[in-house]
Amino acid sequence: MSLSVAGKYAVITGAGSGINLAFARLLLQRGCSVLIGDLALRPEAEQLLSEYPPAATTSSPTPSANNKPTALFQRTDVTSWPQLSALMARASSAFPRVDIVVPGAGIFEPAASSFWDAPGTPRSRDPADAEPGSYATIAVNLTHPIRLSQLAIGRWTERGERGTLVHVSSCAGHMVGIGTPLYFASKHGLHGFVRSLGGLRDELGIRVSAVAPGTVRTPMWGEDPDKKGMVREGEGDVAIEPEEIAEAMLELCENEEYGDGTILEVLQGATRVVPLYGNVVPSGRGLMVSGYEQMQKDLYEKLRTEGLKV
């Protein structure tokens, strides 16, 4: 099977903006149809859908007669297992097959679902009386990619098909930081999950990998009220453009050397495969904003003077 994405079909969560939108655009430019699952679309995502509409002459949104790929959208809350199942069902009805699945939706920790803003406290979106209890950061960043991977692998193995899973992780998956421990834990867990599935490539032709970028220039940093004033960007900080991450994700799809649990770190102008053992500290442009260190100092002081409200 050719590893080129041309003529293939992909499902991507979180592609209403940011990294996953950049990857959806790149796939469409390369001739791959895309179904986006997200809570909403930013204007640039709506524009992308308008550029790749379903063929008007057919009842099914497959590529048009000139082989132009199709872009579709289904509103999806990735913390809902029924909605993830519905997303895959939509892909099955819309496309002749599903070749690529990207569980890309993710959230950064503070303050909506933070370890330092406990469930039930004013800034937290996590209820303290939930049964069963859950943190949204874990549900979005770890549970959702596990469940969507399960649905994809179930589909491919039942049909005897090959497929590609590309996860969106972070350098946080092989680093630590007290400021956002839930975020770091979710990405460490995702790395372990991806690596554990690596044997599927050679046994069943199901390729599994993850991209692990540093700080990426996405709407989250400039527009999300949870981020304003929490981690400040310094004057010399570097943010990686989403398109650079998208190119690395394409490489994970098309490079036959990858897909066996590969974790591909991406900093500005540089990539490396993160080794399973004997790893080294990441270093390069765009790793982390300088304000994170100050945020951690402020956190320690707050814990000393006020304690943790729970």
Side-chain angles (χ1 to χ4, degrees):
M1 182 182 71
S2 170
L3 296 183
S4 169
V5 299
K8 292 185 177 177
Y9 301 87
V11 176
I12 309 176
T13 62
S17 64
I19 293 170
N20 299 293
L21 173 58
F23 187 49
R25 180 180 293 110
L26 182 58
L27 287 180
L28 288 160
Q29 292 171 347
R30 297 298 182 97
C32 177
S33 293
V34 173
L35 170 61
I36 294 172
D38 208 333
L39 289 172
L41 298 174
R42 286 178 56 83
E44 54 267 34
E46 293 178 346
Q47 175 62 32
L48 183 66
L49 261 67
S50 71
E51 295 172 8
Y52 294 90
T57 57
T58 65
S59 59
S60 178
T62 53
S64 57
N66 62 1
N67 290 323
K68 185 175 182 178
T70 292
L72 304 172
F73 170 68
Q74 176 150 319
R75 188 184 185 281
T76 305
D77 177 353
V78 299
T79 67
S80 165
W81 287 18
Q83 290 189 39
L84 288 179
S85 295
L87 181 66
M88 290 299 290
R90 172 77 185 283
S92 296
S93 64
F95 299 148
R97 64 185 185 276
V98 176
D99 302 293
I100 300 165
V101 174
V102 181
I107 57 175
F108 194 61
E109 183 174 339
S113 180
S114 166
F115 183 80
W116 301 114
D117 292 284
T121 56
R123 294 209 307 169
S124 177
R125 64 179 276 188
D126 299 324
D129 56 355
E131 183 62 51
S134 178
Y135 295 99
T137 296
I138 301 298
V140 174
N141 290 1
L142 183 57
T143 305
H144 133 252
I146 290 174
R147 179 57 178 160
L148 190 56
S149 296
Q150 197 171 48
L151 293 171
I153 293 169
R155 172 194 174 93
W156 291 327
T157 53
E158 286 181 354
R159 301 181 182 205
E161 297 175 343
R162 300 186 176 196
T164 297
L165 277 162
V166 177
H167 293 266
V168 179
S169 188
S170 166
C171 285
H174 46 283
M175 296 174 63
V176 296
I178 195 171
T180 50
L182 290 183
Y183 183 76
F184 280 86
S186 70
K187 297 304 184 180
H188 273 254
L190 185 57
H191 280 199
F193 177 71
V194 168
R195 292 188 186 281
S196 296
L197 298 185
L200 291 175
R201 185 194 68 178
D202 296 338
E203 293 289 338
L204 297 171
I206 296 173
R207 306 173 73 248
V208 186
S209 62
V211 66
T215 302
V216 183
R217 193 182 308 281
T218 68
M220 176 184 75
W221 291 106
E223 300 174 17
D224 189 333
D226 274 353
K227 311 304 172 295
K228 291 180 178 178
M230 195 283 297
V231 179
R232 296 176 178 83
E233 289 189 64
E235 186 173 338
D237 288 345
V238 173
I240 311 162
E241 296 299 329
E243 290 73 20
E244 187 167 355
I245 313 304
E247 289 286 351
M249 294 168 71
L250 182 66
E251 183 76 2
L252 289 173
C253 289
E254 295 189 330
N255 189 330
E256 64 181 10
E257 295 182 6
Y258 298 151
D260 58 345
T262 309
I263 307 295
L264 187 63
E265 180 184 283
V266 185
L267 299 179
Q268 190 182 69
T271 63
R272 74 174 178 115
V273 174
V274 181
L276 176 58
Y277 301 112
N279 191 17
V280 298
V281 178
S283 62
R285 292 172 59 81
L287 178 60
M288 184 179 292
V289 294
S290 56
Y292 193 89
E293 182 178 355
Q294 183 61 48
M295 182 267 285
Q296 294 187 122
K297 292 179 180 178
D298 294 343
L299 172 63
Y300 281 126
E301 181 61 24
K302 182 178 179 181
L303 290 173
R304 275 191 292 266
T305 59
E306 301 177 21
L308 175 62
K309 309 299 183 188
V310 294

